[in-house]
C-alpha cells in the first residue's frame, strides 16, 4: 500500500538552476459523485490526511475543456519564503495568489525544493473563464504536472508510474477532484474493494476493459448559469459532517460504483443512465437536506432535465444528464447518436442556456506535456 510518506522528496538533488515546462490538464465530470471529506485531525504538525474523500468516485476525463499552464523557475538566494508570480492569460492575477500560496504550503512537506526557486506561473483555460465549468480541477492538475516535471529534473531516475501518482496526489491537495484530471479517460478516486489500485490518496485509471459503447463518449455542457456559486464546494463538503443522510449516501456511492464498474465493462446503457442521473440528483438532494440547506440548480436546469427525459422517452436515444455542484447540465451520450442529440440540443435546449452558450466535448486522455 502506498502511503503519504512515500511521496516525501528526500533524494540528493541533481542541480537545476532554471528552466520551464508547459502542461495541459483536462476538466473531468464525475459519474459517481464525491461529496464530503473525511474529517481532518492532524495528529502532527504535518498536513497529512487532508482532502480525503468520504466516498469513492469515478469520472470521465474530458478532452477539450482544459487548463494550459506554463511554469518557469529560477534558483534564488533567499529560501525563507515561497516566491511566485501568477499570470492568467498573460495578465497578473493577484486574486488567485492566496490559493496557490495555500497549495504550496500544503505540499511543501512532499516537495521540499519549492522555496529554492522563484516561479512564474502562466495559466489559461480553453473554455470561457467563469463559465461555471470548474477550473480548479484542471488548473491544479496542470500545476501539479509542472511541479513533478521539475522534481523529475531533480531526480531523473523517477519512474513514470510514480510521476503520475505523485502528480495526482499533489493535485488532490489543491482541489480534491483535480486528482482525477491527471491520467486518462476513466478515473477512480477513493478506496473501493472491487477496483484494483484504487486509493484515497490519488486518482487511479479504471483498471477494467471498457465496453465499446463508452469509447469516445460525448459530453455537451449546457451553460445555464455562469455566475459565482452562492455556496462554495468546500463549504458544501463540510456540511456533510453532521448531515442526517451522510452514512446512507456514502454506502450508496460504494454500491453505485460497484454497479457502474460492471456497466462500463458490459455496455448496458440503460443501467448507465439510471446510475448517472440518480447520482446527479442525489448530489443536489444532499445540498437541499443539509443544515444550512441550499439549492444550486436554477429553473432552467429543471426545464432541461425534463426535456431530456421527454426526448429519451420519445426517441429511445440513450442521452442522459449529469450535474456538477452547480446549475450547468452535462448531456452524456454515445458517439453513434451524436447528430440526432446535437440537433435536439440546438432545437430545444439552447434557449435555456445563458447567451445560448454550450460546449461540445468528449472523453479525453488526461494531462499532456506541451
Amino acid at each position: 500500500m502506498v502511503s503519504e510518506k512515500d511521496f516525501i522528496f528526500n533524494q540528493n538533488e541533481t542541480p537545476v538552476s532554471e528552466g520551464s515546462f508547459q502542461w495541459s490538464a483536462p476538466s473531468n465530470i464525475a459519474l459517481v459523485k464525491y461529496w464530503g471529506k473525511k474529517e481532518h485531525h492532524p495528529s502532527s504538525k504535518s498536513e497529512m490526511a487532508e482532502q480525503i474523500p468520504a466516498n469513492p468516485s469515478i469520472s470521465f476525463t474530458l478532452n477539450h475543456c482544459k487548463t494550459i499552464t506554463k511554469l518557469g523557475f529560477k534558483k534564488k538566494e533567499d529560501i525563507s519564503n515561497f516566491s511566485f508570480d501568477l499570470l492568467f492569460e498573460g495578465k497578473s492575477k493577484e486574486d488567485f495568489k492566496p490559493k496557490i500560496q495555500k497549495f504550496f504550503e500544503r505540499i511543501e512537506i512532499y516537495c521540499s525544493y519549492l522555496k529554492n526557486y522563484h516561479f512564474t506561473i502562466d495559466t489559461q483555460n480553453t473554455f470561457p473563464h467563469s463559465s461555471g465549468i470548474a477550473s480548479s480541477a484542471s488548473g491544479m492538475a496542470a500545476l501539479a504536472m509542472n511541479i513533478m516535471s521539475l522534481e523529475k529534473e531533480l531526480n531523473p531516475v523517477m519512474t513514470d508510474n510514480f510521476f503520475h501518482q505523485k502528480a495526482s496526489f499533489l493535485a488532490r491537495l489543491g482541489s480534491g477532484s483535480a486528482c482525477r484530471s491527471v491520467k486518462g479517460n476513466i478515473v477512480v478516486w477513493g478506496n473501493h474493494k472491487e477496483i484494483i489500485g484504487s486509493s484515497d490518496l490519488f486518482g487511479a485509471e479504471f483498471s477494467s476493459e471498457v465496453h465499446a459503447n463508452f469509447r469516445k463518449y460525448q459530453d455537451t455542457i449546457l451553460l445555464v448559469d455562469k455566475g459565482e456559486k452562492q455556496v462554495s464546494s468546500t463549504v458544501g463538503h463540510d456540511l456533510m459532517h453532521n448531515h442526517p443522510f451522510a452514512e446512507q449516501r456514502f454506502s450508496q456511492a460504494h454500491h453505485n460504483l460497484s454497479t457502474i464498474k460492471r456497466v462500463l465493462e458490459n455496455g448496458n446503457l440503460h443501467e448507465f443512465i439510471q446510475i448517472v442521473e440518480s447520482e446527479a440528483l442525489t448530489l443536489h438532494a444532499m445540498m437541499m437536506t443539509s443544515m444550512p440547506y441550499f439549492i444550486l440548480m436554477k429553473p432552467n436546469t429543471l426545464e432541461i432535465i425534463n426535456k431530456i427525459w421527454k426526448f429519451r422517452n420519445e426517441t429511445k436515444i440513450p442521452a442522459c444528464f449529469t450535474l456538477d455542484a452547480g446549475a450547468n447540465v452535462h448531456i452524456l451520450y454515445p458517439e453513434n447518436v451524436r447528430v440526432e442529440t446535437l440537433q435536439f440540443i440546438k432545437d430545444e435546449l439552447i434557449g435555456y442556456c445563458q447567451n445560448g452558450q454550450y460546449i461540445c466535448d468528449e472523453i479525453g486522455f488526461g494531462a499532456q506535456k506541451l
Side-chain angles (χ1 to χ4, degrees):
M1 281 290 289
V2 181
S3 81
E4 284 113 325
K5 292 188 174 64
D6 294 321
F7 293 120
I8 294 173
F9 181 84
N10 52 14
Q11 272 66 30
N12 293 325
E13 292 183 24
T14 303
V16 179
S17 57
E18 63 181 301
S20 70
F21 303 103
Q22 189 172 23
W23 281 85
S24 72
S27 200
N28 68 72
I29 180 67
L31 308 171
V32 172
K33 305 294 183 184
Y34 144 65
W35 197 245
K37 302 173 190 181
K38 292 190 176 151
E39 292 217 52
H40 176 37
H41 302 297
S43 49
S44 66
K45 286 179 294 214
S46 85
E47 292 290 301
M48 292 193 179
E50 270 210 85
Q51 298 276 80
I52 300 293
N55 67 266
S57 57
I58 187 167
S59 61
F60 280 157
T61 312
L62 298 181
N63 193 26
H64 303 306
C65 289
K66 50 188 158 195
T67 299
I68 298 165
T69 299
K70 185 174 185 181
L71 180 77
F73 57 92
K74 195 165 190 172
K75 199 111 181 182
K76 61 187 173 76
E77 295 297 312
D78 174 12
I79 59 166
S80 58
N81 290 307
F82 299 114
S83 163
F84 61 93
D85 295 317
L86 187 63
L87 306 172
F88 181 70
E89 295 178 349
K91 298 187 186 75
S92 179
K93 191 78 175 155
E94 289 299 310
D95 53 338
F96 279 15
K97 285 189 86 167
K99 189 162 188 179
I100 304 297
Q101 175 74 23
K102 184 171 187 205
F103 177 55
F104 280 169
E105 287 164 7
R106 271 190 181 170
I107 68 171
E108 184 188 11
I109 181 173
Y110 309 106
C111 306
S112 54
Y113 46 83
L114 289 175
K115 284 181 177 166
N116 300 346
Y117 295 95
H118 175 77
F119 295 105
T120 304
I121 304 163
D122 193 348
T123 188
Q124 61 184 44
N125 296 327
T126 60
F127 47 91
H129 180 53
S130 76
S131 59
I133 295 177
S135 59
S136 55
S138 53
M140 286 299 177
L143 182 53
M145 298 308 283
N146 278 302
I147 289 169
M148 286 310 295
S149 286
L150 170 57
E151 184 167 316
K152 191 164 172 68
E153 295 276 303
L154 300 171
N155 174 29
V157 298
M158 181 193 299
T159 66
D160 271 1
N161 186 44
F162 180 86
F163 180 100
H164 285 100
Q165 270 188 3
K166 183 167 176 180
S168 178
F169 171 85
L170 296 177
R172 183 193 103 237
L173 294 173
S175 167
S177 58
C179 74
R180 298 191 311 241
S181 283
V182 166
K183 279 292 260 187
N185 42 20
I186 302 176
V187 179
V188 176
W189 172 36
N191 272 325
H192 188 274
K193 60 182 189 298
E194 292 172 43
I195 307 233
I196 299 159
S198 62
S199 170
D200 286 346
L201 300 182
F202 47 81
E205 282 187 279
F206 183 62
S207 48
S208 309
E209 180 73 22
V210 176
H211 192 277
N213 282 352
F214 297 108
R215 295 197 197 124
K216 288 204 169 173
Y217 221 70
Q218 304 292 300
D219 178 7
T220 299
I221 307 159
L222 305 180
L223 304 179
V224 171
D225 183 61
K226 292 158 57 181
E228 276 293 297
K229 288 193 295 206
Q230 312 95 304
V231 178
S232 76
S233 294
T234 304
V235 172
H237 285 294
D238 286 347
L239 291 175
M240 288 297 282
H241 288 322
N242 311 314
H243 199 293
F245 308 128
E247 288 314 309
Q248 294 95 315
R249 162 60 200 151
F250 301 146
S251 71
Q252 176 198 39
H254 277 273
H255 172 76
N256 282 346
L257 192 47
S258 296
T259 310
I260 208 164
K261 175 184 185 286
R262 288 197 303 278
V263 166
L264 290 168
E265 292 161 355
N266 67 27
N268 185 326
L269 291 170
H270 174 71
E271 244 187 316
F272 176 81
I273 288 168
Q274 280 191 321
I275 296 167
V276 168
E277 291 191 339
S278 159
E279 276 284 320
L281 294 174
T282 301
L283 171 69
H284 285 261
M286 291 295 123
M287 299 171 193
M288 294 183 211
T289 48
S290 64
M291 189 60 75
Y293 40 81
F294 59 103
I295 298 177
L296 294 185
M297 289 192 204
K298 297 286 183 199
N300 282 358
T301 309
L302 296 174
E303 293 285 352
I304 290 167
I305 289 171
N306 280 311
K307 290 268 189 193
I308 291 169
W309 283 342
K310 184 167 181 274
F311 171 71
R312 191 167 70 228
N313 279 335
E314 288 174 357
T315 63
K316 304 296 176 250
I317 286 173
C320 69
F321 71 87
T322 188
L323 307 166
D324 258 338
N328 295 339
V329 182
H330 290 248
I331 304 185
L332 303 176
Y333 50 97
E335 191 190 28
N336 64 357
V337 293
R338 187 165 182 267
V339 173
E340 305 93 303
T341 308
L342 282 174
Q343 195 58 53
F344 155 67
I345 290 166
K346 284 177 191 143
D347 292 347
E348 302 211 29
L349 301 184
I350 56 175
Y352 298 110
C353 300
Q354 206 170 332
N355 306 327
Q357 282 190 291
Y358 64 99
I359 295 172
C360 293
D361 212 331
E362 60 187 355
I363 290 194
F365 305 100
Q368 291 173 315
K369 195 170 185 181
L370 302 174

